[in-house]
Amino acid sequence: MMMSTGAHEVLIGMTGKIFFIRVEKTGVPTFTTVGLNGIFFFSMALAVLEKDFKGFMGMLAVAVAASYLLAAVRLRNSGNQKGAIFGAGLALAFLTVAIPAQLTGYSITIGWAIEAAALAWIALRLNSAWVLGGSWLVGWLVLMRLVMADATNY
């Protein structure tokens, strides 16, 4: 556990440097490091905390999503649109993960459907093809869940 915590601290330091000091220099290596950082942190925290804090795993995913959303706002304010879109996309991904981590049964499908509808509305308001694509992706998750999991309950 200590080794994974130390590795995470190195990644957190790199992410902080990338996002808050050198926001003008973003590219594939930066996006890869930042994206893997959140995935690595969530995976390690899930492995360590799941036994005693299973009911809070959704909130952990929401917290990670919030950190990416704050970074996206920071990047957008500094004029880095690519970084802002990437950060917002990662926030969306972690929010999508938070729903099944926190809810069970039909609530997962309903949560994803609400998320897809909200994203479609945001896409129309912002006139953003990227957000609309995210809405379609979550919509497909809803459809697949309805067909593969929820339909068998009737």
Side-chain angles (χ1 to χ4, degrees):
M1 176 59 192
M2 286 300 262
M3 185 158 178
S4 67
T5 303
H8 177 66
E9 291 302 319
V10 169
L11 287 174
I12 286 289
M14 288 170 46
T15 303
K17 182 177 180 184
I18 291 164
F19 268 150
F20 297 106
I21 295 172
R22 299 173 48 206
V23 293
E24 72 279 353
K25 294 186 178 186
T26 53
V28 173
T30 303
F31 293 149
T32 303
T33 302
V34 171
L36 289 176
N37 181 19
I39 294 167
F40 180 76
F41 171 74
F42 186 73
S43 300
M44 289 293 111
L46 190 67
V48 171
L49 300 174
E50 187 175 25
K51 180 182 173 194
D52 297 325
F53 300 101
K54 187 163 180 63
F56 295 100
M57 291 299 104
M59 293 307 297
L60 175 65
V62 169
V64 173
S67 69
Y68 278 118
L69 192 58
L70 288 172
V73 169
R74 165 75 168 90
L75 288 167
R76 182 174 177 260
N77 291 341
S78 70
N80 189 335
Q81 291 303 101
K82 285 183 182 178
I85 290 170
F86 183 74
L90 284 172
L92 167 67
F94 277 101
L95 283 176
T96 305
V97 167
I99 292 172
Q102 192 67 37
L103 305 174
T104 59
Y106 297 117
S107 302
I108 296 170
T109 309
I110 293 169
W112 278 346
I114 291 170
E115 181 182 5
L119 285 171
W121 179 77
I122 291 169
L124 290 175
R125 299 280 294 173
L126 297 177
N127 196 21
S128 171
W130 286 101
V131 178
L132 187 60
S135 174
W136 275 99
L137 184 65
V138 176
W140 276 106
L141 283 174
V142 171
L143 184 62
M144 291 298 110
R145 178 147 174 95
L146 279 171
V147 169
M148 296 182 159
D150 294 344
T152 60
N153 292 334
Y154 286 112

